[in-house]
Amino acid sequence: MIEFLAGAVTVGYVVAAGFFVRYFRQTGERLFLIFAVAFALLAVNQALAHILRVVSEPNSFVYGLRALAFLLILVAIIDKNVFAGEDGVLSRVLRGK
């Protein structure tokens, strides 16, 4: 049962990454590209944890992939909100609004 659930989660991450790639192609926004990479890393993390039979994930190198994925998501959100052209926080601060 655990194998089935691990596979389902991995497929879910791959599907999410695919949707974000599609949104990136439609809009050209970096946010979607970074999200796609992050979800692909989460899929690799999930697959490796299962393939390598990792018992305690926080004590393995596989955990680094998950941490990197969440760091990428955080960077994407900050990038979108701070450096987003005319509507970004940085642009408004520099314009004095």
Side-chain angles (χ1 to χ4, degrees):
M1 183 68 170
I2 296 294
E3 293 83 11
F4 173 76
L5 293 175
V9 169
T10 304
V11 169
Y13 287 142
V14 170
V15 169
F19 276 113
F20 283 120
V21 166
R22 186 175 76 180
Y23 297 147
F24 170 71
R25 286 184 180 164
Q26 290 174 354
T27 65
E29 287 195 34
R30 273 191 312 250
L31 175 83
F32 295 132
L33 179 62
I34 297 171
F35 268 49
V37 171
F39 275 92
L41 282 174
L42 288 170
V44 169
N45 170 64
Q46 187 72 21
L48 281 177
H50 179 70
I51 291 169
L52 300 175
R53 305 244 184 245
V54 175
V55 176
S56 178
E57 191 171 339
N59 297 330
S60 71
F61 75 94
V62 177
Y63 188 74
L65 292 175
R66 182 181 294 180
L68 180 61
F70 284 115
L71 182 65
L72 280 174
I73 290 171
L74 183 64
V75 166
I77 292 170
I78 291 170
D79 177 58
K80 179 67 175 172
N81 288 306
V82 174
F83 304 107
E86 292 291 319
D87 297 330
V89 174
L90 188 62
S91 295
R92 285 183 280 179
V93 168
L94 292 176
R95 288 193 318 251
K97 291 184 179 179

